[in-house]
């Protein structure tokens, strides 16, 4: 009966579209093409199917097409109708899957098909289809989180089918309970026959789920634990009684069960850290967080490397564990085999002192020195003892990385533990896998504030400087910047190894210099006794003056000068040429050499120091100056007033100088100065004398106005894409200036091409941009009072109906009458920038290569505050003949050494025809932008096939912005020898 009703409804819907009334006089109307009904088309396709294979093929084709929200209910009815008639299991399975997919459609509420979906479960015999139907109900339940009645019905359905013999059905039921169940309300209806007893109180969701922790199928046990974790993720507090059951599952035979159980034990340790639990086979009690810590430590020795990785990662987040248990993870006296495990250093030392291997002459001379009574060993102790030793010596490098990260996290919160794990982290510097070595260096860098390296430890650390990996060496340089050395021998050893590194890898020059800068700043008292030796000075004899072009000598001077900043007596040990070298390095490498108070030069150095101190302490006064400058400019009603343009010129100059002096405010100052320059260019282009003269009499001024418009458009794209931290109000202001520039461009085009009718779409496109501006910045429109766009919106009905020439006159008048729009100072704005380190552009030796082949040019650059550098940063190579090549670096070429900083290390391949003499090419970094990737672009609807009825968006404009200064490199392509 229901099938007949549905068929009648579909036919009525289909016939209503094509029905005509020829006898009535219908007034003439415009034709409107409508899409055919999706439900009718699907019904016709399914009716044409002669066998299950055809029906399945039609369903697969239908699944590839999107469905509108208003058509979902009709399609679902057709699918349900065919479901009741279908006898093939695979077709019913696909229909059940499609129902779940349709329920996710945006704008559709699936509550209208809940009853039908539940009713299909009663007569279904196939376990696979039953599991898919439960999955569809789960989708429906998650789409209706606020409907308590529907959630309760679905929970009852899940409890009813929990006794199914198929594991997939039980899995879906448990998943449904975890996603929809609540712990505060008892189940009104319990269908679990195994646990139902007469007169028993109502059970809650947690007790029902926990019954399946002991299910015979491991997949069901895993689903039960994950369902319990899903309750926790939804913000519901789990009961502590589940802890013992979760601990038993840690010894399960199946990997996925143990993995889920480890997660469960960790969750309970975070919920009830201070609860007291008894120790098995003992009368003692222990905190739950310590007990769970020991059990998770024991899982670091699990047979599955996946479980070992998970256990090691979770250990790093258990910060509430007792220090006693924490230190036991590094204790090597008690291991899983109940024997003492010695390191390779200890075994080598014992072999060296004995002088020989075991000869067998003495009875039991190689027997274990230490015997452990197995009956006296607690499970907790054997679990926690040596956990990190196991993890750091694991055969899988993923486990070793996880153990290093966990050690780092725990050591950051415990200085005493950081000192104890120092030896273990230093040993990991010799790991065979580069990623493990790199992670251990980063870990030691994060805990460097809690530790001081001994000479033997520093020797092991510095051995890594011979590594062939550039990332490893630079990470170690970063570590040495923040390392605390114990003696002057450590400083001397570090300097010698860094100079060897500089000789072997000259490209590490800047990184080594930076490392020595911080090394000198942190250890001035240790550097002081080394100064005569480092500078080769003598109390009585003059020594030869070293070569200032030697990078090694510059490295020594950087170390000494930075130490001298905190040690005033050090300058007395300098030679005369050292003072001259200081003046030279202070000018050429000012970021590495600090300002010093040197004897005999107190006047200049004192002034410099005062200026430096004034600059460092006047950030707030500089910020006030910036605010005062903007407030003074915002008082201008119009830029055509006397003196207004001069004030704007002076303010732009002041802001540019402020950005040079105060790097912290450079982004905000440059942003404001660029915006004011755009306003000034716009005002000069709209001067009265330009528009009162005929076009042939002011061709030069007209060309200057066109160039100003072009420059304004370029500057607005820089303002939008080169600066980060912009608020929506600043973005709206940028778009407003761009809209003014486009209006002026339209006026200039119509003025210079008078008598030639421009294409009407140019004006339509501009009107669409005005409407788009209003739609995008609706919330910010109150800030645009008496502005250009507000006056245009008031005249919009007139603009839509007027002729192009009248539109141009209106635009010109509106531009002249619109007031100056003040800029609100942003809180914190950063300007994207890049600096090319290599090549330096100082070499006069050309790169020679054969014509037709390529030569690799190494590029090393630092990027600051660049958003999404992997997709936006490009390398441009400009050849002398005007050819320009743009290269896209690989994603792996970008490194992230710190927040807001990106390192680009890549290679650019150059090739050209033969030249008669060497010439320079220019290499620079570009920032690519596209207006379609702006912050304002909204995602497209999911279930729409076309764009009918949607407003046309602004056409995508793509371009590039110079991000760095160009570097010139000599190259010489030469003919191949024959």
């Amino acid at each position: 009966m229901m099938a007949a009703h549905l068929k009648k409804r579909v036919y009525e819907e289909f016939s209503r579209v094509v029905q005509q009334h020829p006898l009535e006089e219908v007034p003439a109307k415009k034709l409107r093409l409508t899409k055919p009904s999706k439900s009718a088309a699907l019904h016709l396709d399914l009716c044409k199917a002669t066998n299950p294979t055809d029906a399945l093929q039609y369903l697969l084709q239908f699944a590839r097409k999107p469905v509108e929200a208003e058509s979902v209910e009709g399609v679902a009815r057709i699918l349900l109708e065919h479901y009741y008639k279908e006898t093939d299991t695979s077709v019913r399975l696909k229909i059940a899957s499609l129902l779940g997919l349709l329920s996710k459609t945006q704008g559709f509420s699936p509550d209208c098909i809940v009853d039908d979906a539940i009713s299909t479960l009663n007569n279904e015999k196939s376990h696979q289809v039953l599991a898919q139907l439960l999955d569809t109900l789960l989708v429906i339940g998650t789409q209706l989180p606020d409907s308590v009645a529907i959630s309760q019905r679905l929970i009852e359905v899940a409890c009813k089918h929990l006794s199914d013999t198929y594991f997939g059905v039980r899995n879906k039921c448990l998943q449904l309970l975890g996603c929809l169940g609540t712990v505060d309300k008892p189940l009104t209806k319990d269908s679990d026959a195994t646990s139902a007893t007469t007169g028993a109180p109502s059970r809650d969701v947690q007790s029902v789920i926990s019954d399946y922790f002991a299910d015979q199928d491991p997949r069901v046990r895993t689903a039960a634990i994950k369902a319990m974790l899903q309750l926790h993720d939804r913000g519901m507090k789990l009961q502590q009684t589940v802890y013992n059951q979760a601990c038993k599952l840690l010894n399960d035979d199946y990997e996925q069960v143990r993995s889920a159980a480890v997660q469960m034990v960790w969750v309970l340790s975070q919920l009830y850290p201070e609860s007291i639990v008894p120790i098995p086979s003992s009368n003692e009690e222990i905190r739950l967080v310590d007990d769970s810590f020991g059990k998770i430590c024991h899982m670091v020795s699990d047979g599955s490397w996946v479980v070992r990785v998970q256990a090691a990662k979770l250990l790093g987040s258990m910060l509430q564990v007792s220090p006693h248990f924490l230190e036991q993870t590094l204790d090597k006296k008690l291991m899983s085999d109940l024997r003492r495990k010695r390191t390779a250093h200890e075994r080598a030392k014992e072999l060296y002192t004995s002088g020989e291997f075991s000869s067998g002459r003495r009875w039991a001379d190689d027997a274990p020195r230490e015997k452990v009574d197995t009956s006296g060993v607690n499970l907790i102790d054997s679990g926690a003892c040596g956990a990190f030793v196991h993890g750091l010596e694991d055969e899988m490098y993923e486990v070793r990385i996880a153990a290093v990260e966990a050690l780092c996290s725990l050591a950051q919160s415990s200085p005493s533990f950081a000192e104890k794990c120092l030896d273990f982290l230093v040993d990991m510097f010799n790991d065979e896998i580069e990623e493990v070595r790199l992670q251990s260096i980063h870990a030691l860098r994060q805990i460097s504030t809690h530790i001081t390296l001994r000479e033997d430890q520093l020797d092991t650390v510095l051995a890594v400087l011979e590594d062939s990996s550039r990332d490893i060496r630079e990470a170690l340089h970063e570590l040495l910047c923040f390392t605390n050395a114990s003696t002057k021998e450590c400083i001397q050893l570090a300097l010698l190894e860094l100079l060897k590194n500089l000789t072997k890898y000259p490209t590490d020059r800047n990184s080594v210099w930076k490392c020595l800068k911080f090394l000198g700043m942190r250890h001035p008292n240790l550097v002081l006794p080394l100064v005569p030796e480092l500078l080769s000075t003598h109390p009585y004899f003059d020594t030869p003056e070293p070569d200032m072009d030697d990078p090694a000598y510059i490295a020594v001077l950087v170390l000494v000068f930075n130490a001298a900043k905190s040690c005033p007596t050090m300058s007395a040990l300098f030679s005369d040429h050292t003072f001259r070298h200081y003046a030279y390095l202070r000018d050429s490498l000012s970021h590495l050499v600090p300002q010093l108070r040197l004897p005999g030069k107190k006047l200049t150095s004192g002034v410099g120091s005062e200026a430096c101190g004034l600059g460092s302490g006047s950030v707030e006064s500089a910020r006030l100056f910036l605010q005062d400058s903007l407030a003074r400019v915002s008082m201008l009603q119009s830029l055509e007033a006397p003196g207004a343009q001069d004030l704007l010129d002076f303010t732009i100059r002041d802001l540019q100088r402020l950005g040079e002096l105060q790097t912290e405010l450079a982004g905000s100052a440059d942003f404001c100065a660029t915006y004011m320059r755009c306003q000034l260019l716009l005002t000069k282009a709209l001067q009265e004398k330009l528009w009162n003269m005929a076009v042939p009499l002011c061709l030069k001024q007209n060309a200057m106005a066109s160039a100003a418009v072009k420059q304004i458009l370029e500057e607005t794209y820089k303002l939008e894409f080169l600066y980060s931290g912009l608020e929506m109000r600043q973005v709206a202001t940028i778009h407003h200036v761009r809209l003014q520039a486009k209006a002026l461009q339209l006026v200039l085009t119509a003025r210079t091409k008078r008598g030639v009718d421009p294409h009407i779409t140019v004006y339509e496109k501009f009107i669409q941009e005005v409407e788009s501006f209003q739609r995008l910045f609706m919330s910010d429109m109150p800030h645009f009072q008496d502005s250009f766009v507000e006056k245009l919106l008031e005249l919009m009905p007139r603009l839509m109906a007027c002729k192009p020439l009248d539109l141009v006159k209106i635009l010109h008048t509106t531009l002249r009458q619109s007031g100056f729009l003040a800029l609100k100072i942003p809180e914190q704005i950063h300007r994207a920038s890049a600096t090319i380190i290599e090549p330096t552009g100082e070499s006069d030796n050309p790169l020679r290569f054969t014509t037709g082949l390529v030569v690799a040019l190494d590029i090393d650059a630092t990027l600051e505050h660049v958003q999404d550098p992997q997709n936006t940063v490009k390398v441009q190579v400009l050849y002398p003949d005007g050819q320009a090549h743009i290269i896209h670096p690989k994603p792996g070429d970008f490194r992230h050494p710190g927040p807001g900083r990106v390192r680009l290390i890549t290679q650019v391949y150059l090739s050209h025809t033969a030249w008669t003499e060497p010439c320079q090419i220019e290499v620079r970094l570009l920032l690519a932008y596209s207006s379609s990737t702006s912050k304002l672009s909204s995602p497209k609807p999911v279930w729409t096939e076309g764009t009918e009825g949607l407003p046309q968006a602004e056409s995508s404009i793509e371009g590039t912005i110079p991000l760095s200064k160009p570097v010139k490199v000599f190259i010489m392509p030469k003919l191949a020898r024959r």
Side-chain angles (χ1 to χ4, degrees):
M1 187 68 185
M2 189 175 79
H5 174 69
L6 287 172
K7 186 181 298 184
K8 180 179 179 182
R9 177 178 175 181
V10 170
Y11 280 138
E12 287 177 357
E13 181 184 357
F14 188 79
S15 61
R16 192 179 303 124
V17 179
V18 299
Q19 188 175 5
Q20 296 180 359
H21 302 280
L23 299 179
E24 300 177 2
E25 289 187 6
V26 182
K29 292 183 178 179
K30 293 182 179 180
L31 290 176
R32 180 175 179 269
L33 298 178
T34 60
K35 298 181 180 179
S37 171
K38 290 289 180 68
S39 56
L42 177 62
H43 179 73
L44 292 178
D45 286 341
L46 293 177
C47 289
K48 289 190 294 184
T50 57
N51 52 44
T53 305
D54 292 343
L56 188 60
Q57 196 65 31
Y58 286 129
L59 290 174
L60 289 173
Q61 292 176 2
F62 179 78
R64 300 189 189 101
K65 301 176 182 178
V67 182
E68 296 83 359
E70 57 270 14
S71 304
V72 171
E73 184 177 357
V75 171
R77 299 293 178 192
I78 294 298
L79 290 174
L80 287 169
E81 176 192 354
H82 195 77
Y83 177 89
Y84 291 125
K85 298 187 298 182
E86 186 58 53
T87 57
D88 188 78
T89 304
S90 60
V91 178
R92 295 204 308 276
L93 185 66
K94 185 60 182 176
I95 291 176
S97 174
L98 279 176
L99 288 175
L101 184 63
L102 290 170
S103 300
K104 297 179 182 178
T105 307
Q106 292 183 357
F108 171 69
S109 180
D111 52 355
C112 56
I113 61 172
V114 172
D115 295 333
D116 297 311
I118 293 177
S119 64
T120 55
L121 291 168
N122 299 327
N123 300 324
E124 185 55 58
K125 303 299 181 185
S126 172
H127 295 291
Q128 288 85 354
V129 179
L130 200 58
Q132 186 61 53
L133 286 171
L134 286 169
D135 185 70
T136 299
L137 291 178
L138 175 62
V139 172
I140 293 175
T142 53
Q143 294 294 318
L144 301 171
D146 299 329
S147 179
V148 180
I150 292 179
S151 298
Q152 192 64 31
R153 286 188 62 189
L154 297 180
I155 291 172
E156 292 175 5
V157 170
C159 292
K160 178 181 177 182
H161 290 85
L162 270 174
S163 57
D164 196 277
T165 57
Y166 182 57
F167 79 93
V169 176
R170 300 203 298 277
N171 280 1
K172 291 299 178 183
C173 290
L174 290 170
Q175 189 178 356
L176 203 147
L177 288 176
C179 293
L180 301 178
T182 55
V183 296
D184 52 348
K185 294 181 181 179
L187 296 177
T188 57
K189 182 178 181 181
D190 192 355
S191 304
D192 193 354
T194 59
S195 59
T197 56
T198 56
S202 299
R203 306 177 62 203
D204 61 350
V205 171
Q206 287 194 49
S207 60
V208 172
I209 294 176
S210 61
D211 287 342
Y212 289 86
F213 283 178
D215 193 272
Q216 61 181 356
D217 195 301
R219 292 164 290 191
V220 178
R221 297 198 293 272
T222 306
I225 301 175
K226 289 184 177 180
M228 197 72 78
L229 293 173
Q230 184 66 30
L231 290 176
H232 169 72
D233 293 339
R234 291 170 53 212
M236 301 180 188
K237 193 170 184 178
L238 304 183
Q239 299 171 1
Q240 188 182 343
T241 54
V242 189
Y243 179 71
N244 292 330
Q245 295 174 291
C247 290
K248 291 178 182 178
L249 292 174
L250 292 175
N251 299 320
D252 198 275
D253 294 336
Y254 292 87
E255 170 190 329
Q256 64 267 30
V257 180
R258 297 197 302 274
S259 177
V262 169
Q263 185 73 25
M264 187 72 186
V265 169
W266 177 82
V267 166
L268 292 170
S269 71
Q270 304 301 306
L271 292 175
Y272 305 98
E274 301 299 330
S275 298
I276 304 299
V277 295
I279 299 177
S281 67
S282 174
N283 295 327
E284 299 180 5
E285 294 181 337
I286 194 174
R287 295 165 67 222
L288 190 144
V289 65
D290 294 335
D291 185 63
S292 60
F293 183 78
K295 287 180 166 55
I296 295 178
C297 282
H298 184 68
M299 299 306 292
V300 177
S301 307
D302 193 84
S304 169
W305 71 271
V306 178
V307 179
R308 298 200 299 271
V309 169
Q310 185 181 14
K313 287 182 177 179
L314 292 177
L315 287 178
S317 58
M318 302 184 72
L319 305 179
Q320 298 174 315
V321 68
S322 301
H324 172 63
F325 284 94
L326 194 58
E327 293 171 4
Q328 277 188 345
T329 58
L330 302 175
D331 191 358
K332 294 170 282 189
K333 291 184 179 179
L334 190 64
M335 299 300 292
S336 58
D337 55 357
L338 304 182
R339 295 182 185 275
R340 185 175 184 273
K341 185 173 183 178
R342 296 172 296 173
T343 62
H345 300 289
E346 292 174 336
R347 292 195 297 269
K349 182 180 179 181
E350 183 177 356
L351 186 63
Y352 175 76
T353 54
S354 64
E356 61 178 3
F357 290 96
S358 175
S359 61
R361 293 180 180 178
R362 295 189 303 274
W363 176 256
D365 61 347
D366 58 347
R369 306 291 179 86
E370 177 182 352
K371 292 185 179 180
V372 181
D373 183 11
T374 58
S375 61
V377 177
N378 289 330
L379 180 65
I380 301 296
D381 295 339
S382 63
C385 285
F388 282 121
V389 179
H390 269 304
L392 295 176
E393 296 180 356
D394 198 276
E395 61 179 349
M396 304 296 293
Y397 80 93
E398 293 92 348
V399 182
R400 301 199 296 273
I401 289 178
V404 168
E405 292 175 350
L407 265 181
C408 177
S409 300
L410 294 171
Q412 283 180 296
S413 60
S414 175
S416 60
F417 184 70
E419 295 179 2
K420 289 181 172 61
C421 71
L422 178 59
D423 285 327
F424 296 91
L425 285 176
V426 171
D427 283 341
M428 297 306 294
F429 283 17
N430 299 320
D431 195 273
E432 60 183 357
I433 303 297
E434 178 183 338
E435 192 175 349
V436 180
R437 299 198 300 271
L438 190 61
Q439 188 60 43
S440 59
I441 293 173
H442 289 321
L444 196 58
R445 155 72 183 87
Q446 294 179 38
I447 65 173
S448 58
T449 55
H450 301 307
I451 58 176
T452 300
L453 288 179
R454 302 189 308 270
E455 190 172 350
D456 59 326
Q457 294 170 335
L458 186 63
D459 195 12
T460 306
V461 169
L462 292 173
V464 186
L465 287 174
E466 298 182 1
D467 198 297
S468 60
S469 171
R470 184 170 187 165
D471 293 336
I472 294 287
R473 298 196 305 272
E474 291 188 352
L476 193 67
H477 296 157
E478 189 80 14
L479 167 64
L480 292 175
C481 289
F482 300 94
T483 297
N484 299 316
S486 55
T487 61
K488 66 182 181 65
E489 286 77 14
C490 291
I491 298 295
Q492 194 169 17
L493 179 63
L495 177 61
L496 290 176
E497 293 298 327
L498 286 170
L499 293 181
K500 289 181 183 178
N501 177 20
L502 193 58
T503 304
K504 189 174 182 180
Y505 301 103
T507 55
D508 292 352
R509 182 180 62 180
N510 290 286
S511 183
V512 170
W513 288 350
K514 177 186 173 185
C515 174
L516 288 170
K517 170 189 174 182
F518 285 94
L519 209 59
M521 288 173 59
R522 295 177 69 89
H523 307 92
N525 296 326
L526 298 181
V527 175
L528 178 61
L530 298 174
V531 169
E533 181 181 354
L534 295 179
L535 298 181
S536 300
T537 59
H538 194 275
Y540 305 115
F541 303 105
D542 285 338
T543 55
E545 182 176 348
D547 184 11
M548 276 303 296
D549 292 332
D550 184 10
Y553 177 62
I554 295 177
V556 173
L557 289 182
V558 168
L559 173 72
V560 172
F561 289 151
N562 281 278
K565 184 179 181 182
S566 304
C567 187
T569 60
M570 193 179 295
S571 59
L573 303 175
F574 294 170
S575 303
D576 291 339
H577 60 259
T578 307
F579 293 108
R580 295 198 305 271
H581 295 170
Y582 165 75
Y584 170 74
L585 291 179
R586 178 61 189 158
D587 290 336
S588 59
L589 298 174
S590 57
H591 63 288
L592 294 175
V593 179
Q595 185 80 29
L596 299 179
R597 291 181 177 271
L598 299 178
K601 300 181 180 181
K602 293 182 179 180
L603 182 62
T604 57
S605 63
V607 173
S609 300
E610 291 173 5
C612 181
L614 181 64
S616 61
S618 61
V619 178
E620 289 302 323
S621 60
R623 193 181 298 275
L624 289 175
F625 176 78
L626 177 62
Q627 293 175 351
D628 293 342
S629 300
L630 292 179
R632 189 164 54 249
V633 172
S634 64
M635 299 296 292
L636 298 174
Q637 298 295 329
S638 174
L639 293 182
E640 294 184 359
Q645 296 185 16
D646 293 337
L647 175 62
L648 212 56
D649 270 327
F650 294 146
T651 306
I652 292 172
R653 184 196 61 188
D654 293 343
L655 292 181
Q656 288 176 341
R657 182 60 178 158
L658 178 66
E660 295 173 0
L661 294 175
Q662 287 291 344
T663 56
E664 297 181 7
L665 298 176
S668 301
D670 291 344
F671 181 84
C672 298
T674 306
Y675 172 76
M676 292 180 187
R677 193 181 304 113
C678 292
Q679 293 284 1
L680 191 60
L681 287 172
L682 192 65
T683 305
K684 290 181 178 179
L686 288 170
Q687 286 179 350
E688 187 74 30
K689 60 181 181 180
L690 174 64
W691 304 95
N692 290 338
M693 298 171 62
V695 176
L697 300 178
C698 58
L699 289 176
K700 183 178 179 181
Q701 290 85 349
N702 208 74
M704 291 174 58
S706 300
V709 169
K710 184 179 179 181
Q711 185 179 352
I712 292 171
L713 291 176
E714 292 177 356
E715 296 289 346
T716 56
Y717 286 113
K718 287 183 181 179
L719 288 173
E720 183 174 3
F721 296 101
L722 203 58
Y723 294 86
S724 58
L726 298 180
E727 300 173 359
M728 187 59 71
R729 182 171 174 180
Q730 280 99 41
V731 178
T733 308
I734 294 169
H735 280 253
H736 182 263
V737 177
R738 189 179 303 160
L739 202 63
Q740 286 179 294
K742 289 182 178 180
L744 180 57
Q745 190 176 39
L746 198 63
V747 173
L748 287 172
T749 304
R751 176 179 169 84
T752 54
K753 297 181 179 180
R754 184 166 295 176
V756 179
D757 289 337
H759 205 275
I760 194 68
T761 55
V762 178
Y763 302 103
E764 292 178 352
K765 182 180 177 182
F766 179 78
I767 293 176
Q768 288 177 0
E769 290 180 0
V770 175
E771 294 174 343
S772 176
F773 182 92
Q774 183 187 20
R775 186 172 62 253
L776 291 174
F777 305 107
M778 182 64 71
S779 59
D780 295 295
M781 289 306 294
H783 302 299
F784 290 91
Q785 294 182 359
D786 196 32
S787 65
F788 172 71
V789 69
E790 186 188 43
K791 294 181 178 180
L792 278 188
L793 291 174
E794 291 176 356
L795 299 172
M796 185 57 71
R798 184 179 167 189
L799 293 176
M800 300 286 287
C802 67
K803 297 180 180 180
L805 291 179
D806 295 334
L807 175 65
V808 169
K809 292 180 181 178
I810 294 174
L811 289 179
H812 181 213
T813 306
T814 311
L815 279 171
R816 295 291 303 275
Q817 293 177 353
S818 57
F820 173 72
L821 187 61
L823 179 68
K824 177 183 178 295
I825 181 171
E827 289 294 330
Q828 188 67 38
I829 285 184
H830 298 288
R831 188 181 191 275
S833 62
T835 304
I836 298 179
I837 302 173
E838 292 289 341
T840 58
E842 300 172 354
S843 176
D844 294 332
N845 297 325
L847 289 173
R848 301 181 183 273
F849 60 97
T850 304
T851 301
L853 301 180
V854 296
V855 62
L857 179 65
D858 292 323
I859 302 290
D860 184 2
T862 57
L863 311 176
E864 299 280 346
H865 306 294
V866 178
Q867 298 177 338
D868 193 17
Q870 296 182 359
N871 296 323
T872 57
V873 175
K874 315 295 179 188
V875 181
Q876 184 192 49
V877 179
L878 188 62
Y879 291 93
D881 58 354
Q883 292 186 32
H885 295 174
I886 295 182
I887 297 94
H888 305 263
K890 297 180 294 185
D893 294 338
F894 294 91
R895 278 86 166 172
H896 298 269
R901 292 192 298 125
V902 179
R903 184 82 176 273
L904 173 61
I905 301 176
T906 186
Q907 280 189 332
V908 173
Y909 296 102
L910 309 175
S911 182
H912 210 277
T913 55
W915 296 354
T916 56
E917 60 182 16
C919 288
Q920 289 180 333
I921 62 169
E922 288 189 357
V923 180
R924 73 172 68 192
L925 297 184
L926 302 177
L927 183 72
Y929 67 86
S930 174
S931 58
S932 61
T933 59
S934 176
K935 307 169 188 176
L936 306 171
S937 57
S938 56
K940 295 181 180 179
V942 179
W943 294 109
T944 52
E945 289 182 345
T947 56
E948 296 91 355
L950 293 177
Q952 292 292 326
E954 177 186 0
S955 60
S956 178
I957 297 177
E958 298 181 354
T960 56
I961 302 172
L963 196 58
S964 68
K965 295 181 180 178
V967 175
K968 296 183 178 181
V969 180
F970 264 110
I971 66 170
M972 176 57 188
K974 56 184 180 180
L975 289 172
R977 294 181 180 178
R978 296 182 180 179

